[in-house]
Amino acid sequence: MARGQLRIHLGAAPGVGKTYAMLEEAHRRAERGTDVVVGFAETHGRKHTAAMLGDLEIVPRRTMTYRGVEFTEMDVDAVLARRPEIAVVDELAHTNVPGSRNEKRWQDVQELLDAGIDVLSTVNIQHLESLNDVVEQITGITQRETLPDDVVRRAEQVELVDMTPEALRRRMAHGNIYRADKIDAALGNYFRVGNLTALRELALLWLADKVDDQLDRYRSEHDIGATWEARERVVVALTGGPEGETLIRRAARVAARTPKGAELLAVHVSRSDGLTGVDPTQLAKQRVLVESLGGTYHQVVGADIATALLDFARGVNASQVVLGASRRGRLAQIFSRGVGVTTVALSGSIDVHLVTHEQIGHGRRPPSVTSALSRRRRLTGFGLAAIGIPVLTVLLRLLANDLSLASDILLFLGMVIAVALVGGLWPALLAAVAASLVINYFFTPPLHAFTISQRENLLALVVFLLVAAAVSAVVDLAARRTREAARASADAQTLAVVAGSVLRGARPLTALLERLQETFGLTSVTLLERAPETASGPDRQRDPRAWRVVATVGSTPCLTPSGGDVEVRAAEDLSLVLCGRVLDAADRRVVEAFAAQAALALRQDRLAEEAATARPLAEADRMRTALLAAVSHDLRTPLASAKAAVTSLRSHEVEFDESDREELLATAEESLDRLTRLVANLLDMSRLQAGVLGLSLTPIGLEDAVPPVLDEMGEPARQVQVSLPAHLRAVSADPGLLERVLVNLVANALRFSPPDRPPSISASEHGGLVELRVADYGPGLPKEQWEQAFMPFQRTGDRDNHNGVGLGLALSRGLAEAMGGTLVPEDTPGGGLTMVLSLPAAEGEHE
């Protein structure tokens, strides 16, 4: 059975018309004769959306009871039994009621797809798991219902339902999205223009990435290697040379000049043998520059640089490649075209920009020729040649009648190879020359003369000399490559250990310097930063006032770059100074990698410090934003009610009887009382956060504190069931603050308890603490949302002061802790939520 296809209508925010567009598509399919049913569609009371259901067949929902409250969910079994061609299932990220067949609705949809049923569904961009934290940062609201990105990416079709922020806000103001009492709060909070613009951009970018994936998959499935310029991408090739920064900036300008801006990618091609080194400091600086310009850095391995570069460019569907003109001299370019010319010849449809720079024609510094073997082995080789050639000559002279000239040459060749294996190139060349002279003098007619009468003997000696030299060179090259491979392996292992220690350490910069000191056995390692106010000059390297110690490990830090044994530039204003010993040239390359990583680690440390500094400011800004959003709605309502009542009483156009006047006065009084409580909550919370809340702790019995609270709250509170032990110890608390806490807790409990099951208050004593439990029997609150319910200006589960600014539970916990107590939630047996207020028992009070 073929798997069904999933079509998703993706929106940036609630209200853009996803469900409406989905139902429109369902009607189009039905009009074409397709069997369509509605498995689940949520209209949210929007009349235009409800009208779109029209005559579509609706599968009855399944009713479930959870904690005494009835909920309806999609009946998966009923849809499967009906077996339509297409099922309409709204809100793909929805979390099903506990006890349902699956935890999430997208899992229900997977069952329908597995059964061969096509599905039309909807989802908002804020519900994607990968964007959850980004959306929270933008809007300040945590999305609890999410689904994996892969569910949406695997959909056969994703259609973006788009709307400008201004149009969406107009739709909101007209009452087409939320009820009238929620419009002001929504427009001032989640539906601000900036939020909607950012969410819209997120949706467009995410969908663009999915389209890119689909395009790459299509090109791969159809073996399309040519570049399709659907989206401009500029690749800049980096060699690690000093011209890299010029190339990056030129490539960034090329990318910026393309319509809507192009994507910038920097790539460095490493040789596949792993033995050709580059300057890691330059590459690290260039990587930082690329990322600061909004690009990305990549590294690939290839035997042929031009081929590897173009393979990478075609792999990312790049349209342009930027690389520098050759640094080699004219003579070198005669024998080889170079990477630039080869890339142009092989580029095909990709545009190649050859950028001039200051390093053109300067060539590359030839590598220093050093022996691959140790001095001891070279001396041993020379000794073997000096002893072995005469000894072999004597032996062969004694066996002159038994061996031919060819045998003599082969034996001398074996001696030369042995010398090459032991001492390398130069001892072997010396042995080859000495052996050729010995063969000519003692074994080639005419004997005892450096002349050769027969051409065959001359040819044999020439071949002998060439073979001996070639074998010596090969042996020396193999030894050199073996040493380089061992060095590269050791360097790679060292850098891998460094990376691991840096990643695992809480202090990456210090961990890196400690690893450097340990690796090379140094007495101290210091990272110095040049003071920006100091002038340049030859004395700056020796002036301690020109440098500042950023980080150091070891016994005695170096205060200037010239005060150490080795100094490596980590960045333009950073120097890594090593004390203890002078390093080999081969070790310096690894130290340069350490220096580059140290510069990056310092940059990350400073970014983390800036983020830590900005976090309280961002939190304060978030609090102010939440406060303004809450105050703009919650304070306006009681003010409007009080003003309307007072205006009506002052009006001369309408005559009110005594009962109407009493009702209006009661409305005004109730609204002003509510306003007073809101302002008092705000003031108390500000005092708590400022640490200036005044306390007067006195012994007070709960039997004296609870009844006045219930009386003050009026008729609804008289239904609360109170059960307090007769001999309960008094608590040490501030009477006024305790009353505020109890009012908030009882008000919350009344709001969420059903009419037939009023809240209850009970108390007990345990280990010097008196616990007061205020229990409701409503829908309860998931445990993962318990702590968020105590955050100021949050309305998790709509539990903390729905009629206030979201301060009820936050203020209650703060007041409880100020009095030396605690306030924690727990589940109510049988369903609901219980708030447990623990306060210390008053000293000297006994049962």
Side-chain angles (χ1 to χ4, degrees):
M1 179 186 298
R3 178 180 170 85
Q5 294 193 347
L6 175 61
R7 176 178 178 137
I8 295 177
H9 293 79
L10 175 69
V16 295
K18 302 179 303 301
T19 303
Y20 192 93
M22 176 186 66
L23 293 175
E24 276 189 325
E25 179 65 22
H27 278 288
R28 281 193 293 269
R29 302 284 186 97
E31 290 169 359
R32 294 198 296 264
T34 306
D35 183 16
V36 181
V37 303
V38 177
F40 190 96
E42 184 60 72
T43 64
H44 294 289
R46 299 164 189 167
K47 57 183 180 180
H48 300 294
T49 305
M52 277 303 299
L53 285 171
D55 57 353
L56 291 173
E57 179 184 348
I58 300 176
V59 177
R61 300 184 184 182
R62 181 184 179 189
T63 302
M64 302 182 64
T65 302
Y66 177 67
R67 291 187 173 181
V69 181
E70 288 190 350
F71 298 91
T72 59
E73 297 287 0
M74 181 177 68
D75 194 335
V76 181
D77 291 327
V79 177
L80 291 173
R82 172 64 175 75
R83 296 198 61 80
E85 294 180 69
I86 297 178
V88 176
V89 183
D90 204 4
E91 296 186 351
L92 192 61
H94 171 74
T95 301
N96 293 329
V97 175
S100 299
R101 182 191 190 109
N102 295 303
E103 179 184 359
K104 291 283 191 176
R105 183 166 293 161
W106 65 263
Q107 296 169 327
D108 296 337
V109 168
Q110 295 299 320
E111 288 196 34
L112 301 183
L113 296 173
D114 292 338
I117 301 174
D118 294 345
V119 176
L120 303 179
S121 189
T122 64
V123 72
N124 279 334
I125 193 67
Q126 68 263 28
H127 295 302
L128 297 180
E129 184 65 45
S130 66
L131 300 177
N132 187 255
D133 56 340
V134 179
V135 173
E136 181 181 0
Q137 183 181 5
I138 293 172
T139 65
I141 297 175
T142 302
Q143 298 293 332
R144 295 296 175 184
E145 292 188 332
T146 61
L147 79 165
D149 289 42
D150 190 55
V151 174
V152 184
R153 289 192 183 278
R154 285 190 281 113
E156 282 70 23
Q157 299 179 62
V158 178
E159 178 182 338
L160 180 65
V161 183
D162 194 19
M163 179 175 289
T164 64
E166 293 76 13
L168 184 57
R169 284 172 60 85
R170 284 196 300 271
R171 176 180 287 186
M172 170 73 72
H174 293 159
N176 294 330
I177 300 177
Y178 289 158
R179 298 194 311 270
D181 60 337
K182 291 188 176 182
I183 292 176
D184 288 343
L187 290 175
N189 191 11
Y190 192 89
F191 284 81
R192 290 177 299 187
V193 173
N195 287 357
L196 297 177
T197 303
L199 292 174
R200 188 186 186 201
E201 183 178 11
L202 276 179
L204 291 170
L205 291 175
W206 190 93
L207 190 60
D209 287 340
K210 176 175 170 55
V211 173
D212 278 345
D213 294 340
Q214 289 178 328
L215 179 61
D216 292 341
R217 185 165 57 249
Y218 178 85
R219 295 175 71 239
S220 176
E221 291 173 353
H222 292 78
D223 295 327
I224 299 174
T227 300
W228 286 5
E229 297 185 18
R231 182 179 180 183
E232 289 282 350
R233 289 182 175 88
V234 179
V235 172
V236 54
L238 303 178
T239 64
E243 75 282 358
E245 294 186 7
T246 301
L247 301 182
I248 292 171
R249 292 190 173 92
R250 178 61 182 274
R253 292 196 295 272
V254 171
R257 283 197 292 265
T258 58
K260 298 182 181 179
E263 187 177 349
L264 178 63
L265 302 93
V267 59
H268 170 68
V269 180
S270 300
R271 295 292 296 271
S272 57
D273 55 18
L275 301 177
T276 302
V278 296
D279 187 350
T281 305
Q282 290 286 353
L283 275 181
K285 291 171 58 179
Q286 292 164 14
R287 178 173 186 168
V288 172
L289 177 60
V290 168
E291 292 174 349
S292 68
L293 293 173
T296 56
Y297 177 84
H298 308 267
Q299 189 158 341
V300 297
V301 177
D304 183 80
I305 295 178
T307 303
L309 174 62
L310 289 173
D311 287 344
F312 173 81
R314 293 190 181 100
V316 299
N317 200 26
S319 54
Q320 303 183 64
V321 172
V322 177
L323 67 161
S326 177
R327 287 189 289 164
R328 300 178 307 150
R330 294 182 178 179
L331 181 62
Q333 296 182 33
I334 295 176
F335 297 99
S336 175
R337 295 188 299 177
V339 174
V341 178
T342 305
T343 302
V344 172
L346 301 176
S347 62
S349 60
I350 301 178
D351 296 336
V352 179
H353 303 265
L354 283 177
V355 179
T356 59
H357 49 84
E358 297 180 353
Q359 302 297 321
I360 294 178
H362 289 187
R364 297 179 182 270
R365 185 179 66 183
S368 59
V369 180
T370 58
S371 176
L373 301 176
S374 64
R375 184 170 181 271
R376 181 178 180 181
R377 286 190 60 178
R378 295 199 304 273
L379 292 177
T380 303
F382 280 119
L384 180 61
I387 297 174
I389 297 297
V391 171
L392 183 60
T393 301
V394 172
L395 293 176
L396 292 179
R397 289 292 295 168
L398 295 176
L399 301 173
N401 296 328
D402 299 328
L403 298 175
S404 64
L405 178 61
S407 299
D408 295 335
I409 291 176
L410 288 177
L411 290 173
F412 275 106
L413 180 61
M415 176 58 67
V416 173
I417 293 175
V419 172
L421 292 174
V422 173
L425 178 62
W426 298 111
L429 289 179
L430 175 63
V433 172
S436 64
L437 294 176
V438 169
I439 292 172
N440 184 10
Y441 189 82
F442 289 105
F443 301 98
T444 305
L447 300 177
H448 307 298
F450 292 104
T451 57
I452 304 174
S453 59
Q454 298 179 6
R455 294 180 178 178
E456 293 81 357
N457 295 340
L458 176 62
L459 178 62
L461 281 176
V462 171
V463 170
F464 166 79
L465 189 60
L466 292 177
V467 169
V471 169
S472 302
V474 168
V475 170
D476 187 78
L477 180 62
R480 187 184 303 276
R481 291 303 188 207
T482 300
R483 190 181 71 169
E484 290 176 350
R487 165 66 65 177
S489 176
D491 292 350
Q493 185 176 2
T494 299
L495 294 176
V497 173
V498 168
S501 63
V502 170
L503 290 175
R504 290 188 297 269
R507 301 167 300 145
L509 180 58
T510 304
L512 189 141
L513 298 184
E514 289 174 349
R515 179 63 62 178
L516 177 59
Q517 180 192 19
E518 178 184 343
T519 301
F520 294 101
L522 303 169
T523 57
S524 69
V525 179
T526 307
L527 183 64
L528 297 176
E529 183 177 32
R530 188 176 61 200
E533 64 275 5
T534 57
S536 60
D539 295 333
R540 187 180 59 191
Q541 295 292 96
R542 297 186 295 271
D543 185 2
R545 295 172 298 177
W547 298 90
R548 181 176 67 87
V549 176
V550 176
T552 184
V553 295
S555 55
T556 304
C558 299
L559 301 180
T560 61
S562 60
D565 296 305
V566 178
E567 187 255 339
V568 177
R569 293 288 297 275
E572 183 177 355
D573 296 327
L574 291 174
S575 287
L576 190 65
V577 184
L578 285 60
C579 296
R581 67 185 182 89
V582 178
L583 300 180
D584 297 336
D587 292 333
R588 187 177 180 88
R589 177 185 170 197
V590 180
V591 175
E592 288 175 347
F594 272 93
Q597 292 300 319
L600 290 175
L602 176 61
R603 177 169 172 261
Q604 296 299 325
D605 281 351
R606 289 180 172 173
L607 288 176
E609 291 176 0
E610 292 177 3
T613 303
R615 192 176 296 113
L617 298 178
E619 180 65 20
D621 182 67
R622 187 190 70 80
M623 295 284 284
R624 283 193 296 269
T625 302
L627 173 61
L628 289 174
V631 167
S632 65
H633 175 266
D634 294 314
L635 295 187
R636 184 184 297 130
T637 302
L639 282 173
S641 299
K643 181 177 176 59
V646 174
T647 303
S648 299
L649 289 172
R650 295 189 61 190
S651 174
H652 299 290
E653 298 177 359
V654 181
E655 291 291 336
F656 295 102
D657 57 24
E658 191 63 28
S659 62
D660 291 336
R661 291 175 60 85
E662 287 296 330
E663 184 177 352
L664 289 173
L665 288 173
T667 301
E669 183 180 16
E670 180 183 352
S671 299
L672 292 175
D673 287 342
R674 181 176 161 197
L675 182 61
T676 301
R677 287 195 300 269
L678 293 177
V679 174
N681 280 346
L682 289 172
L683 292 176
D684 284 344
M685 179 56 71
S686 65
R687 293 191 189 100
L688 271 175
Q689 293 179 341
V692 295
L693 183 67
L695 290 175
S696 177
L697 300 180
T698 59
I700 180 173
L702 293 181
E703 67 278 4
D704 298 325
V706 173
V709 169
L710 300 181
D711 292 338
E712 177 188 344
M713 298 183 68
E715 185 62 33
R718 294 192 176 95
Q719 302 175 5
V720 176
Q721 300 177 1
V722 180
S723 176
L724 300 176
H727 301 288
L728 188 68
R729 294 175 66 184
V731 297
S732 177
D734 184 296
L737 299 184
L738 178 59
E739 179 181 351
R740 299 291 305 283
V741 174
L742 294 178
V743 167
N744 283 325
L745 296 183
V746 174
N748 274 337
L750 285 170
R751 188 173 308 116
F752 291 98
S753 287
D756 58 337
R757 295 197 66 188
S760 64
I761 299 178
S762 61
S764 60
E765 182 183 348
H766 303 282
L769 292 176
V770 176
E771 295 182 350
L772 182 73
R773 283 176 164 77
V774 181
D776 67 56
Y777 301 94
L781 194 66
K783 289 185 178 180
E784 59 270 15
Q785 297 184 19
W786 282 0
E787 286 305 312
Q788 188 178 353
F790 291 96
M791 298 296 293
F793 313 118
Q794 300 292 325
R795 289 177 177 162
T796 304
D798 201 21
R799 177 165 287 279
D800 49 340
N801 265 3
H802 177 71
N803 295 322
V805 292
L807 284 177
L809 293 182
L811 179 60
S812 297
R813 171 174 278 186
L815 296 178
E817 292 176 349
M819 293 185 291
T822 60
L823 179 63
V824 296
E826 65 180 27
D827 287 322
T828 302
L833 191 69
T834 298
M835 289 293 169
V836 182
L837 174 64
S838 298
L839 293 171
E843 303 218 352
E845 295 287 336
H846 301 283
E847 295 185 6

